[in-house]
Amino acid sequence: MGRTLITVGLAIVLVGVLWPYLHKLPIGRLPGDILIRRQNFTLYMPLATGLVLSVLLSFILWLARR
């Protein structure tokens, strides 16, 4: 349990340090993401981004369990 908490904490710190660079990546603006803008309404459904992040996270966790 302690090793897992340390790993999660280091991952959060790493994302925080790399955030200015990660923000420039096209994640969140992929072709499969749906964005609907109306006069007083905005709907954003990141379908493709969620799929990509899910596959990436699944692969990382699979590697960690090996």
Side-chain angles (χ1 to χ4, degrees):
M1 181 69 172
R3 194 168 120 191
T4 303
L5 288 174
I6 290 172
T7 304
V8 169
L10 289 174
I12 290 171
V13 168
L14 184 64
V15 169
V17 169
L18 296 176
W19 185 254
Y21 307 107
L22 293 174
H23 188 58
K24 295 177 183 178
L25 292 175
I27 298 294
R29 297 181 303 271
L30 294 175
D33 295 343
I34 298 172
L35 176 64
I36 299 172
R37 289 187 181 161
R38 300 282 187 236
Q39 188 174 6
N40 293 324
F41 176 76
T42 301
L43 175 67
Y44 179 66
M45 293 176 27
L47 298 176
T49 300
L51 181 64
V52 169
L53 290 177
S54 175
V55 169
L56 184 65
L57 184 61
S58 295
F59 180 69
I60 290 170
L61 291 175
W62 176 77
L63 283 177
R65 281 187 269 166
R66 269 184 107 206

